[in-house]
C-alpha cells in the first residue's frame, strides 16, 4: 500500500529583509494509513511550517519553492486554491496548540462545527447540529446538547481542546495534523487529551501527524517518528527503534534530555549544548556539526544525505556513511 501522505524534498522559504529563511529545506517523510507519525525537534526547526505547507497555509513572505506533497494521488502543492479548500478541514484537518486561535470567539461551538458540516457535506442546519452534538459527545464533553450553544470562552481549556478535536473529526478526515495539541494544558489534562486523541484516531480510522517537542508524547502516541533539525529530517525510524537505538547524535541528545532517562545524573538533565542555528545563516556541511559530540572534519564540509543504517532507521549523518 502506498503511504497516505508523502512529502518529497519539500522546501518552504521566507523572503525577508534579512535574507532568505530556509524554514523547510528538502524535507521528505511519509504517513501510512491508520498510523501516527511523530515530528520532533527543538523550537524553530520547521515542524509547524512543514505541516502548514501540507494544507497550503503558508502566507507571505513564505512560499513553497520545491518538492511535492502527494495525498490520495494528487500533489497538494500543485492543485488549485478551490481544490485545496476541499481538502482542508475535510480530508485533512488540524488541531492547534491554542484552541482560541482556531475557534472563533464570536460564534458558539456548535455553530462553528455545524458550519463545517454544512459547507463540506451540504447538510441541513438540523443535520449539521445533530452531527456537532454527536461529535461533542464522542470527545467527552458533558451535556453536549447544552454545550453546543456555548461560546469558546465559556469552556475550560481542556474542554476547548476537546471541542477543537470534535471540529477536526466531525468530517471524518483521513489525516489529522496535531501541532503541540497538549502543550498549553496542565499535566493531568494533557494526559486525558492524549488518551482521547489515541482513542479517536482508532474510532475514526484516521492517520495522525503529531508535532511535539515532548518525546514522552511520542512514546505514548506514535508508530513512527521523524526528527527534524534546522529545516531538515535528520532521522526517521519506527518509534521502538528510535528509543532503543537512536542513530543520529541529535536524536541521542534529545533522548538524553528526557528526565526519566537520566536518573544517574541526580536530576540534572543533559542538555544539547549550543543553540539551533538561524535558518538564514546555516553552518556549512551538517547543520548540527557545531553542537555535535561526534563531529568529524567531513561534517564541517559536506552535508550528509539520508541513508538506511543497520538499526533500520534512516539517518543523515557521516557516522553511518
Ligand atoms: N512568517 C515567517 N517569516 C519568517 N520566518 C518564519 C516565518 N514563519 C516561520 N519562520 C521561521 O521558520 C523557522 C521554522 O519555524 P517553525 O514554526 O516551523 O518551527 P517549529 O519547529 O514549529 O518550532 P516550535 O517548536 O517553536 O513550534 C523558524 O526559524 C521561524 O523563525
Ligand atoms: Mg511549531
Amino acid at each position: 500500500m502506498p503511504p497516505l501522505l508523502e512529502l518529497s524534498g519539500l522546501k518552504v522559504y521566507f523572503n525577508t529583509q534579512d535574507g532568505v529563511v530556509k524554514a523547510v529545506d528538502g524535507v521528505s517523510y511519509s504517513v501510512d494509513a491508520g498510523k501516527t507519525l511523530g515530528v520532533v525537534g527543538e523550537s524553530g526547526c520547521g515542524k509547524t511550517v512543514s505541516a502548514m505547507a501540507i494544507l497550503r497555509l503558508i502566507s507571505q513572505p513564505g512560499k513553497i519553492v520545491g518538492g511535492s506533497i502527494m495525498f490520495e494521488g494528487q500533489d497538494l502543492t500543485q492543485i488549485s486554491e478551490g481544490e485545496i479548500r476541499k481538502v482542508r478541514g475535510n480530508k485533512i484537518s488540524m488541531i492547534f496548540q491554542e484552541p482560541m486561535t482556531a475557534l472563533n470567539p464570536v460564534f458558539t461551538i456548535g455553530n462553528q462545527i455545524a458550519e463545517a458540516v454544512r459547507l463540506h457535506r451540504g447538510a441541513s442546519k438540523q443535520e449539521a447540529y445533530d452531527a456537532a452534538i454527536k461529535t461533542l459527545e464522542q470527545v467527552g464533553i458533558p451535556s453536549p446538547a447544552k454545550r453546543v450553544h456555548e461560546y469558546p470562552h465559556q469552556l475550560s481549556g481542556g474542554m476547548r481542546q476537546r471541542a477543537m478535536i470534535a471540529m477536526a473529526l466531525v468530517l471524518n478526515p483521513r489525516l489529522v495534523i496535531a501541532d503541540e495539541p497538549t502543550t498549553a494544558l496542565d499535566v493531568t489534562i494533557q494526559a486525558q487529551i492524549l488518551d482521547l486523541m489515541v482513542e479517536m484516531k482508532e474510532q475514526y480510522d484516521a492517520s495522525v501527524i503529531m508535532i511535539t517537542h515532548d518525546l514522552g508524547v511520542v512514546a505514548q502516541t506514535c508508530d513512527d517518528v521523524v526528527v527534524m533539525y534546522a529545516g531538515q529530517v535528520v532521522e526517521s525510524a519506527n518509534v521502538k527503534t528510535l528509543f532503543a537505538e537512536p542513530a543520529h547524535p541529535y536524536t541521542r541528545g534529545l533522548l538524553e534530555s528526557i528526565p526519566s532517562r537520566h536518573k544517574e545524573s541526580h536530576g540534572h538533565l543533559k542538555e544539547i549544548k549550543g543553540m539551533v542555528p538561524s535558518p538564514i545563516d546555516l553552518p556549512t556541511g551538517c547543520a548540527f556539526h557545531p553542537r555535535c559530540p561526534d563531529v568529524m572534519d567531513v561534517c564541517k564540509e559536506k552535508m550528509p544525505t539520508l541513508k538506511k543504517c543497520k538499526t533500520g532507521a534512516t539517518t543523515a549523518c557521516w557516522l553511518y556513511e
Side-chain angles (χ1 to χ4, degrees):
M1 269 233 291
L4 177 71
L5 178 89
E6 187 164 25
L7 271 59
S8 304
L10 182 71
K11 294 186 181 187
V12 185
Y13 292 177
F14 293 88
N15 266 313
T16 70
Q17 280 182 341
D18 300 327
V20 179
V21 177
K22 297 181 175 180
V24 175
D25 201 17
V27 162
S28 303
Y29 62 67
S30 58
V31 187
D32 290 327
K35 299 284 186 196
T36 299
L37 175 77
V39 178
V40 299
E42 286 164 292
S43 188
C45 63
K47 304 183 297 292
T48 296
V49 170
S50 48
M52 299 293 260
I54 296 170
L55 289 172
R56 289 250 301 271
L57 292 171
I58 304 292
S59 47
Q60 288 290 342
K63 206 167 184 283
I64 298 175
V65 296
S68 63
I69 303 172
M70 295 306 296
F71 176 76
E72 293 189 334
Q74 46 181 6
D75 183 351
L76 301 183
T77 68
Q78 300 299 322
I79 63 179
S80 69
E81 194 52 42
E83 290 293 322
I84 193 76
R85 252 185 253 130
K86 288 186 204 150
V87 173
R88 210 183 277 152
N90 182 26
K91 290 186 165 189
I92 305 179
S93 63
M94 193 148 178
I95 298 170
F96 299 91
Q97 174 174 343
E98 184 32 74
M100 285 313 257
T101 59
L103 297 170
N104 191 327
V106 304
F107 294 107
T108 64
I109 299 291
N111 192 308
Q112 296 180 57
I113 300 176
E115 192 51 35
V117 182
R118 274 156 53 108
L119 187 76
H120 287 284
R121 295 282 182 273
S124 72
K125 202 168 176 192
Q126 191 57 49
E127 285 166 345
Y129 261 91
D130 290 346
I133 293 168
K134 183 171 152 251
T135 317
L136 289 174
E137 185 167 24
Q138 281 177 334
V139 299
I141 293 191
S143 337
K146 178 171 153 272
R147 286 298 172 102
V148 78
H149 300 297
E150 291 185 356
Y151 291 87
H153 73 266
Q154 293 175 279
L155 303 181
S156 67
M159 284 299 153
R160 270 205 293 268
Q161 198 57 307
R162 286 177 192 267
M164 187 154 66
I165 293 172
M167 192 150 85
L169 289 175
V170 71
L171 295 170
N172 204 348
R174 295 295 77 225
L175 176 68
V176 177
I177 303 173
D179 192 355
E180 306 274 6
T182 60
T183 309
L185 303 169
D186 68 56
V187 179
T188 48
I189 309 286
Q190 272 186 16
Q192 291 171 12
I193 296 292
L194 283 182
D195 285 346
L196 173 69
M197 289 201 54
V198 171
E199 194 188 312
M200 288 295 114
K201 174 199 157 274
E202 293 299 322
Q203 221 178 89
Y204 280 78
D205 192 28
S207 301
V208 175
I209 296 179
M210 179 67 82
I211 299 173
T212 179
H213 60 263
D214 185 340
L215 283 157
V217 171
V218 170
Q220 195 185 333
T221 61
C222 298
D223 300 292
D224 303 292
V225 191
V226 298
V227 181
M228 287 188 63
Y229 188 75
Q232 297 187 330
V233 172
V234 296
E235 180 163 0
S236 71
N238 168 278
V239 69
K240 286 205 184 78
T241 308
L242 190 100
F243 279 87
E245 296 177 90
H248 199 283
Y250 180 60
T251 312
R252 277 196 310 241
L254 288 178
L255 287 171
E256 279 165 6
S257 56
I258 308 179
S260 61
R261 289 177 70 97
H262 231 69
K263 294 187 189 80
E264 71 274 19
S265 63
H266 305 285
H268 290 287
L269 299 183
K270 234 166 115 178
E271 277 188 3
I272 304 172
K273 64 170 198 234
M275 290 208 318
V276 179
S278 156
I280 292 187
D281 188 18
L282 291 172
T284 54
C286 169
F288 187 59
H289 89 253
R291 306 173 72 190
C292 184
D294 302 312
V295 63
M296 302 175 289
D297 284 341
V298 62
C299 310
K300 300 172 188 168
E301 287 150 23
K302 285 206 284 195
M303 182 126 51
T305 53
L306 284 167
K307 293 234 164 62
K308 199 119 189 157
C309 62
K310 64 176 190 301
T311 65
T314 303
T315 191
C317 177
W318 285 110
L319 290 173
Y320 304 92
E321 292 275 335

